[in-house]
Amino acid sequence: MSTTNTTPALEVRHLTVSYRNRPVLGDLSLPPLLPGQLVALVGPNATGKSTLLRALARLVPASGQARWDGQDLLAMPAAALARTIGYMPQSLPETAALNVLEVTLTAMQARALPAREEELAAMAVLERLGIDDLAMRRLDQLSGGQRQVAALAQAIARDSPILLLDEPTSALDLRHQWRVMDTVRRLADGGHLVITVLHDLALAAQWADHILVIHRGRLHACGTPQAAITPEMLRTVYGVEARVQHCERGRTMVLIDGPAEAPPA
Ligand SMILES: Nc1ncnc2c1ncn2[C@@H]1O[C@H](COP(=O)(O)OP(=O)(O)OP(=O)(O)O)[C@@H](O)[C@H]1O
């Protein structure tokens, strides 16, 4: 059953992705994800988080269903997909000879704005992320963290209703982490659906309203940070004994005591 016509939702059902006949996502179904949500995708290494984003962005073939507002993401024309999804990979290639403004403008082509308006909008995105001073710098002259923010600028520039971000803060210092998470939180509050892979559970709990825990290519748990981040989940999924303290203002502390006796289930 689809959700109402007035509220678009991302509906993922029975999504399956295999690499060389080896299933990585097996029959994955998610709760409906809505505009306005900042969803954190968490789970151990190699569990299929990036593959899920890549499947939704149609960078790897997938079977099953992925629908947005009733439309089939797995089959819609490429131009419509480019207007619907902004995807940020873990990093932009180091070797690209383009500068930051040029890669941002490239991403905006799907919006078909007049040239002058396009450049102003691209500069506004760079300012929002605090990298307008890097506009004319080539990607291969940037640090890893600067390249990561440039990748985020590229994804945001599309102004698409769905944003898929693959570890947007992994190369960033604390101040830049805050700026990036504040920016994506505001985008969600403005009506975008933001789905972001995060390894830092404290960051996920602080900023996301919904957590999806992926384990071995399946959804292990989902819900609010309080509901999803529990000692039981950390033992089963991550194979660690840990204490979880949910404090005020959405802060969560995860204190790892050591490896669990049994490896992850
Ligand atoms: N192009 C590919 N060809 C073959 N196997 C792949 C490919 N990309 C990923 N894999 C494998 O698929 C599995 C899931 O990878 P994926 O990158 O989705 O995990 P992840 O949860 O994002 O991991 P991490 O947290 O380490 O980034 C891994 O075992 C990985 O080796």
Side-chain angles (χ1 to χ4, degrees):
M1 192 184 73
S2 183
T3 41
T4 67
N5 291 334
T6 50
T7 309
L10 176 63
E11 297 172 288
V12 174
R13 302 228 176 88
H14 309 297
L15 200 71
T16 300
V17 178
S18 300
Y19 292 117
R20 295 188 206 98
N21 292 329
R22 189 174 71 85
V24 172
L25 295 182
D27 203 23
L28 178 83
S29 295
L30 303 177
L33 303 174
L34 305 172
Q37 285 185 326
L38 173 47
V39 178
L41 205 54
V42 308
N45 291 130
T47 203
K49 304 177 299 296
S50 297
T51 300
L52 171 56
L53 297 193
R54 289 169 58 79
L56 295 174
R58 251 174 43 206
L59 298 169
V60 290
S63 59
Q65 279 181 25
R67 302 182 80 79
W68 169 252
D69 200 12
Q71 298 175 67
D72 184 357
L73 291 175
L74 302 184
M76 71 169 51
L81 187 74
R83 284 192 299 273
T84 307
I85 285 185
Y87 168 74
M88 175 196 171
Q90 280 186 4
S91 181
L92 289 174
E94 277 178 49
T95 47
L98 297 176
N99 67 35
V100 172
L101 180 60
E102 285 165 341
V103 292
T104 310
L105 287 169
T106 308
M108 293 179 78
Q109 280 167 3
R111 289 173 65 179
L113 297 171
R116 180 69 191 137
E117 217 176 294
E118 197 175 59
E119 192 162 329
L120 287 174
M123 282 308 297
V125 171
L126 301 184
E127 273 165 36
R128 183 171 196 175
L129 289 168
I131 55 167
D132 44 316
D133 56 329
L134 300 179
M136 297 303 158
R137 291 268 294 277
R138 283 167 45 142
L139 290 184
D140 56 5
Q141 294 168 0
L142 300 182
S143 74
Q146 288 171 330
R147 219 167 20 251
Q148 194 167 41
V149 184
L152 179 61
Q154 200 182 31
I156 289 176
R158 289 225 176 140
D159 196 28
S160 52
I162 304 175
L163 267 175
L164 306 175
L165 312 178
D166 201 343
E167 298 190 40
T169 57
S170 59
L172 302 184
D173 64 44
L174 296 175
R175 187 179 167 89
H176 285 96
Q177 278 183 14
W178 194 94
R179 183 155 194 164
V180 161
M181 293 311 298
D182 183 60
T183 302
V184 297
R185 179 70 260 176
R186 285 167 195 259
L187 287 166
D189 291 343
H192 295 262
L193 165 61
V194 183
I195 305 175
T196 177
V197 175
L198 289 173
H199 274 295
D200 183 336
L201 297 181
L203 209 59
Q206 181 179 351
W207 293 96
D209 27 39
H210 210 78
I211 308 269
L212 301 176
V213 183
I214 307 293
H215 183 41
R216 298 195 191 286
R218 289 174 186 271
L219 182 66
H220 175 88
C222 64
T224 61
Q226 292 234 357
I229 302 173
T230 62
E232 190 281 330
M233 182 280 282
L234 292 162
R235 185 179 307 116
T236 310
V237 171
Y238 288 87
V240 293
E241 293 297 339
R243 285 162 288 155
V244 178
Q245 290 174 5
H246 295 288
C247 322
E248 81 251 28
R249 298 210 298 166
R251 305 290 204 271
T252 292
M253 282 184 14
V254 178
L255 307 162
I256 311 293
D257 291 321
E261 269 184 30

